[in-house]
Amino acid sequence: MLCTAGPRPRNAEATRAAILDAARERFARESYDDVGLRHIAGDVGVDAALVSRYFGSKDELFESVLDSCNQGDELMLGDRATFGQRVARDIILEPTSETKLKGLMIFLRSASSTKAMEVVQRNANTRFYGPFSEWVGGPDGAINARLAASLIMGMAISRDVTGGFNLTPDECERMIDRMAATLQALIEP
C-alpha cells in the first residue's frame, strides 16, 4: 500500500496573516501606486484572486495594513498625570520599533498618491485623532491633540531620519523635561 501525502491543509487565518505581512512590507518599501495585488500575491505564493477574496480591493487591503500598524493607541494608556514625561522619554530614549518604523514609511510613501492619502487621512482621523481628541478633552481638545501629535511625530521623524539626537545624556534629560512639560500642558484641559 502506497502512502501519499494529501493536499496541504488550508489555514485561512495563516494565509490572511501572510498576505497582510507581505502587503505591509510592500507598502513600506514602495509607493501605493507602484504596489499591485499580484505583487503581494506573488510574495506569498498565492493567486491574486485569493488576496481579493480576503481583503477586497487594494484600498481595503491598504486600510487593513494601516489598521495593523501601531497608530499611537498606547499614548492614551497609562496615568494621564505622567503622559508628558512618559511619551517624551519614549521618543527621546527608546529605539524605534520595526512596526512603528514600517508604519511611518507607509505614511511617507503614501504621500505621493491622492488615493492612498484619502485612506490614510480617513484612517488617521477615525482611529487616532478622534479618540485622542476625546481623551485630551476640554474645549480645545481637538486643537491640543493635533499640537501634541505633531510634536510627537515631528520628534520621532527627526530621530529616525537623523539616526538619533546625538546628544549627551544630560542634554537628553533636559530635552525630555522640556518636551514633557509642553506635552503635559497640551493634554491638561
Side-chain angles (χ1 to χ4, degrees), residues 12-142:
E13 190 174 314
T15 302
R16 187 178 194 288
I19 292 168
L20 189 60
D21 288 344
R24 190 180 311 106
E25 292 295 325
R26 279 277 178 176
F27 287 124
R29 284 192 325 263
E30 302 171 36
S31 74
Y32 174 87
D33 294 330
D34 291 341
V35 174
L37 294 182
R38 284 195 170 113
H39 298 122
I40 295 164
D43 292 344
V44 179
V46 298
D47 189 87
L50 190 59
V51 176
S52 294
R53 184 169 140 213
Y54 283 124
F55 293 96
S57 68
K58 180 176 163 181
D59 285 356
E60 291 168 310
L61 173 58
F62 186 65
E63 188 143 6
S64 293
V65 165
L66 293 176
D67 287 344
S68 75
C69 293
N70 183 335
Q71 297 201 11
D73 297 350
E74 76 280 359
L75 292 177
M76 296 170 269
L77 302 176
D79 187 357
R80 189 180 181 92
T82 62
F83 173 83
Q85 190 65 221
R86 182 170 34 88
V87 173
R89 189 162 292 285
D90 182 57
I91 293 292
I92 294 167
L93 297 180
E94 296 300 318
T96 303
S97 73
E98 189 175 330
T99 303
K100 285 183 182 179
L101 192 53
K102 281 183 185 164
L104 175 62
M105 293 307 300
I106 291 167
F107 286 139
L108 294 175
R109 293 201 192 285
S110 301
S112 64
S113 170
T114 304
K115 193 168 196 163
M117 282 311 296
E118 289 173 8
V119 177
V120 167
Q121 290 167 357
R122 183 177 60 248
N123 188 281
N125 287 325
T126 302
R127 293 198 68 231
F128 176 71
Y129 285 113
F132 190 45
S133 295
E134 286 180 32
W135 183 80
V136 170
D140 290 331

